[in-house]
Amino acid sequence: MRRAQLDNSALEKDRSKYYQLAVRDAVTGLYTRYYMEDAAARLLQQHERDPAERVGLLVFDVDRFKHINDNHGHLAGDLVLQRIGALLNSHTRRIDIAVRNGGDEFAVFLPKLDLQHSLQFAERVRSEVRGMRFDGALSAMQISISAGVAEHQPGELLDELLQRADAALYAAKRAGRDRVCSFPGPAEKKL
């Protein structure tokens, strides 16, 4: 009987470990895209039930990240990603969903924040990333991000919200990088 309890305990630890590997990114400690899809869907459903429950979305990536990896190596790239993950973990609330989408792409779902407050959050993150300093051989490295922000609109699917935020991200890149742009929805344009 004791052996069966030990086996069950080991199985439960393994299950918990593999669950964490599935929902948490190993480099940044942020949630994974798989977790995001489920959790964000719940946030959007909540907004559909109560339109007063706003949901902002910030998407961003590291400007010229390939250059960092090519010139400083992948360990330096991982260090940049780790620092950004730590920054997001320190600035997000318990109800926010900070995600490493893959590569150098990130998303942060901001429940209870409208477009204006989401833009303020994004600008704070952009500014702090710009102010990051590194030691040793990386001390001359300057990091910046380009970011797009959108607010969920009633009836809008997750993919549509992500596309609008991505469009704003690409507008930030076209405008010179190291900036935050927004992509308002139809209702937001009328304000």
Side-chain angles (χ1 to χ4, degrees), residues 24-182:
R24 292 284 185 179
D25 175 65
V27 175
T28 63
L30 301 175
Y31 289 112
T32 63
R33 182 175 181 88
Y34 303 110
Y35 178 83
M36 174 198 76
E37 290 172 356
D38 185 47
R42 286 192 304 272
L43 283 177
L44 300 187
Q45 287 170 357
Q46 182 177 349
H47 182 232
E48 292 295 332
R49 286 190 301 274
D50 182 2
E53 290 291 320
R54 304 298 222 3
V55 179
L57 171 61
L58 159 64
V59 295
F60 69 91
D61 64 24
V62 180
D63 294 330
R64 298 180 174 91
F65 187 71
K66 183 179 182 329
H67 178 79
I68 295 168
N69 279 335
D70 290 349
N71 291 335
H72 301 285
H74 291 281
L75 291 178
D78 282 354
L79 177 61
V80 168
L81 298 175
Q82 288 167 355
R83 293 276 303 274
I84 290 173
L87 175 80
L88 288 176
N89 277 324
S90 72
H91 284 339
T92 52
R93 304 164 297 169
R94 291 185 62 147
I95 62 173
D96 297 336
I97 303 170
V99 178
R100 180 177 178 203
N101 246 352
D104 65 319
E105 298 174 7
F106 298 85
V108 184
F109 288 84
L110 301 162
K112 303 185 184 301
L113 291 188
D114 61 11
L115 182 64
Q116 190 60 40
H117 288 98
S118 297
L119 282 165
Q120 290 170 0
F121 176 85
E123 184 55 38
R124 199 167 45 251
V125 169
R126 187 209 59 78
S127 177
E128 290 201 27
V129 168
R130 181 80 170 148
M132 281 183 178
R133 297 295 175 253
F134 296 86
D135 296 325
L138 305 178
S139 62
M141 188 167 55
Q142 182 74 49
I143 304 298
S144 67
I145 62 171
S146 296
V149 177
E151 181 182 340
H152 180 254
Q153 298 299 300
E156 184 175 43
L157 300 174
L158 175 59
D159 286 345
E160 294 167 331
L161 175 61
L162 287 166
Q163 286 172 357
R164 282 195 308 115
D166 273 342
L169 166 62
Y170 287 105
K173 289 183 172 297
R174 284 190 304 274
R177 295 186 173 90
D178 191 22
R179 65 193 67 230
V180 175
C181 289
S182 65

